[in-house]
Amino acid sequence: MFDSLQLESMIELCDVNDLEVGEMRGFVLPNYPPIALYNVEGEFYCTDDTCTHGAALLTDGELDGQDVICPFHDGSFNVCSGKASSSPCIIPLKTHRIEVVGGKVMVELK
Amino acid sequence: MSAALGPRSVTVEANGATFSVNPGDTILRAGLRAGIPLPYECNVGCCGTCRIEVIEGETEALWPEAPGLTDRDRRRGRVLGCQALPLSDVRIRVHLETADPALTRPAEVAATLLSTRDVTSDIREFVFETPTPARFLPGQYAVLHLPGISAPRAYSMANVANTEGHWIFQVRRVPGGQGTTVLFSDAIPVGTTITLDGPYGLAYLRTDSDREIVCIAGGSGLAPMVSIARGVAQNPAFDGGALHFFYGARTPLDVCGEDLLRVLPGFSERIRYEAAVSHPVSDVDWPGWRGMVHHLVGERMGERLRDCEVYMAGPPPMIVAALEMLTADYGVDPVRVHFDRFF
C-alpha cells in the first residue's frame, strides 16, 4: 500500500467513475503543462497532453486502444509507455504516475 | 475513371479554399503551389505528415504501399496528400498550418543540367539552371522529375538563392536506387532539361533567432546543412554569431564538407567544422573523433545545446538518435530542432 508521504505529492484528478473505458480527458493544473488522463480497459494512464511534434492537444484527437492519435497530423503515441507509435511523431511523451486511492484517481507530477 | 481526364478541383473543408490539380499532379504539391499551407515534410510518402481525410470524391495513390500510412490510417480513410491523385473533384479535411511569410511559394519550372562534379567517391554535385531566379531559403529542397522513373525525387539544394537561377544538388549514390541510377548514369547528359518543382521543406534557416547554430549532417544530408552555413555566412542578421558544423561519416574516406565551409568568411573563428567517423578502417589513418556524430555534438556542446538553434539532415537512425539526445539528455525544446524527416 502507499504511505502518506507518497500520497502527499499526488494531486487528485477525478473519481474513477468520471472516465469510462476508452475515454480520455485533459486537465490543466496551475504551474504544470497540460496533462491527459486515459482509461485503457479499466487501467488509468497519464501523459502530457501536448503532442511532441506540433502544438496540438492530444485530447482533441482520438483514443484507439492504447494509442492516442493527434488531431493535427494523425501521428500517435502509446499512452502506457509514452512512446511514439506512428509518424510523424518521434519524441516520446512524458508519462506521469497514477494511483487510484479510495475511488480517486491521483497523479504524481514532477 | 481515369486521373488523366483533366484538372480536378480540391476544396479544403476548414476554410473553403479551392485549388485545381492537373492530371498526374498530387493534392499536396498543387495545394502548396496555390498557396494553401497544407501540412507536410518529406513530400515522398515516408513521413506521414501530409495525411488528409477525403470526405467527398475519390483519389488514387501514386504509391499505395507508402510507409507514411499505417494500417490504422487506411482503416480510417486517410490518404497521403503527397501521393494522392484526385480521380474526381474532392473535398478534404485537414489541419492547415500557419504559413511563414518568408517562404517562397513553390512552382514548376524547366531546369537544364549545366554541370556535374564528384564531391566524394559516392556524392556527386549537379548544377541545374532555370530561366527564372532560384528563390528558396537555405535548407530547403526541390522535387525533380527525372526521365525514366515513376515517382519524382526530392533533393536538397546546397547553395543559396541566386538571380542566375542555379540550383545545386549533392546526390549520394544509393546502390539500386532509381533516382541515383538515372542521375549517375549517362541517362541525363549535361544540357538535358527536366521539370524542377520547388522549393519545399520546413527545415530552413530561421533568421529571427540570435542563438548559436548547430548543424548536424550525415551522408547526403551534407547539402542542406552546407546551404544553411552559406546562408548564415552571407546574412548580416547573423553577424558574428557562432555556427558549429558536425559531419558524421561512415569511414574516413567518406568525410567531406570542410572544403565547402573553409571558403566562407569567418571559418575557424565563428564557423567551426568537425567530423566523426563511425567505422574507422585500419588502412586509413583517422586522427579525429571516432563514434556516432551525435555523441560528438554532445561532447563538444554539452549544456550549451539548450540555447542553440539546431538543424540536421541525414540518415533516419542519425536523426532519431540525435533528436532523442537533444530533447531527453539536454532538454532542448523540440521547436528549436529543425529537420525534414525523409522516413
Side-chain angles (χ1 to χ4, degrees):
Chain A
M1 285 308 289
F2 320 104
D3 61 43
S4 55
L5 271 177
Q6 270 182 312
L7 288 176
E8 262 176 30
S9 63
M10 303 196 82
I11 301 166
E12 181 183 326
L13 291 179
C14 62
D15 283 355
V16 285
N17 297 323
D18 289 346
L19 200 65
E20 290 185 15
V21 170
E23 284 190 344
M24 60 180 167
R25 187 193 294 179
F27 293 87
V28 180
L29 303 170
N31 305 320
Y32 290 105
I35 57 170
L37 180 70
Y38 315 89
N39 182 339
V40 179
E41 293 171 6
E43 293 286 331
F44 288 90
Y45 298 92
C46 184
T47 70
D48 277 357
D49 197 4
T50 309
C51 181
T52 59
H53 174 254
L57 286 182
L58 296 169
T59 45
D60 289 338
E62 286 175 40
L63 183 60
D64 178 27
Q66 294 189 352
D67 280 1
V68 64
I69 306 168
C70 177
F72 269 26
H73 304 119
D74 283 332
S76 63
F77 301 89
N78 181 296
V79 303
C80 311
S81 66
K83 283 187 179 156
S85 53
S86 76
S87 66
C89 305
I90 299 177
I91 304 171
L93 280 178
K94 274 202 188 77
T95 57
H96 307 287
R97 194 167 69 90
I98 288 285
E99 299 286 1
V100 176
V101 182
K104 305 282 187 195
V105 181
M106 317 274 286
V107 66
E108 179 182 50
L109 293 176
K110 287 174 179 160
Chain B
M1 274 199 290
S2 157
L5 285 178
R8 303 297 189 184
S9 143
V10 175
T11 304
V12 181
E13 188 197 45
N15 62 359
T18 294
F19 56 93
S20 172
V21 184
N22 285 324
D25 200 3
T26 63
I27 290 179
L28 173 67
R29 287 201 290 278
L32 292 172
R33 277 189 235 108
I36 314 285
L38 296 169
Y40 79 104
E41 279 182 36
C42 79
N43 232 315
V44 290
C46 294
C47 76
T49 310
C50 67
R51 291 182 187 93
I52 53 180
E53 186 179 353
V54 178
I55 49 177
E56 255 178 60
E58 262 189 277
T59 64
E60 172 179 73
L62 272 176
W63 182 18
E65 303 82 22
L69 215 53
T70 63
D71 288 342
R72 178 172 61 215
D73 295 324
R74 292 185 174 90
R75 276 201 312 275
R76 297 166 80 227
R78 302 296 196 266
V79 302
L80 295 176
C82 72
Q83 302 298 316
L85 312 173
L87 295 176
S88 63
D89 290 350
V90 298
R91 280 176 74 81
I92 61 171
R93 184 174 290 155
V94 61
H95 275 271
L96 295 176
E97 303 287 359
T98 307
D100 182 342
L103 288 173
T104 294
R105 195 187 282 195
E108 285 186 318
V109 280
T112 304
L113 183 59
L114 209 57
S115 63
T116 69
R117 74 176 182 101
D118 286 332
V119 179
T120 66
S121 58
D122 66 349
I123 296 179
R124 187 176 291 178
E125 188 169 279
F126 298 82
V127 183
F128 282 91
E129 187 179 49
T130 54
T132 46
R135 287 206 184 93
F136 57 88
L137 296 179
Q140 287 197 292
Y141 64 88
V143 172
L144 304 186
H145 294 263
L146 301 171
I149 44 175
S150 51
R153 289 292 187 275
Y155 296 111
S156 296
M157 283 72 79
N159 58 334
V160 293
N162 59 88
T163 52
E164 294 82 15
H166 288 178
W167 305 69
I168 303 181
F169 304 97
Q170 290 166 344
V171 180
R172 184 159 178 270
R173 188 195 302 265
V174 180
Q178 278 193 330
T180 47
T181 302
V182 170
L183 281 168
F184 279 78
S185 71
D186 297 327
I188 304 186
V190 165
T192 303
T193 297
I194 63 158
T195 299
L196 181 155
D197 183 7
Y200 294 102
L202 304 173
Y204 52 85
L205 178 62
R206 267 59 177 179
T207 53
D208 57 354
S209 163
D210 58 0
R211 293 166 162 247
E212 283 186 64
I213 291 172
V214 172
C215 288
I216 311 173
S220 60
L222 178 69
M225 294 300 103
V226 167
S227 176
I228 295 272
R230 287 170 167 161
V232 168
Q234 71 153 210
N235 190 332
F238 295 102
D239 195 24
L243 184 148
H244 310 268
F245 194 110
F246 298 96
Y247 185 77
R250 198 177 142 75
T251 76
L253 297 171
D254 304 316
V255 172
C256 58
E258 185 169 5
D259 56 327
L260 301 172
L261 298 187
R262 192 169 280 283
V263 297
L264 298 178
F267 183 82
S268 86
E269 291 147 23
R270 70 175 179 120
I271 300 178
R272 291 175 186 278
Y273 171 97
E274 189 169 359
V277 161
S278 58
H279 293 72
V281 284
S282 55
D283 52 338
V284 184
D285 183 44
W286 175 248
W289 177 272
R290 294 173 180 225
M292 308 308 286
V293 64
H294 66 281
H295 289 143
L296 171 62
V297 174
E299 179 74 20
R300 292 288 182 265
M301 301 299 298
E303 299 300 326
R304 285 154 73 198
L305 281 169
R306 193 192 291 262
D307 300 316
C308 290
E309 204 79 35
V310 183
Y311 298 88
M312 52 187 190
M318 183 203 91
I319 298 283
V320 171
L323 188 60
E324 284 180 358
M325 180 195 78
L326 291 167
T327 57
D329 299 349
Y330 292 99
V332 178
D333 186 337
V335 303
R336 298 290 177 194
V337 186
H338 310 282
F339 62 99
D340 287 311
R341 56 204 91 194
F342 286 90
F343 56 95

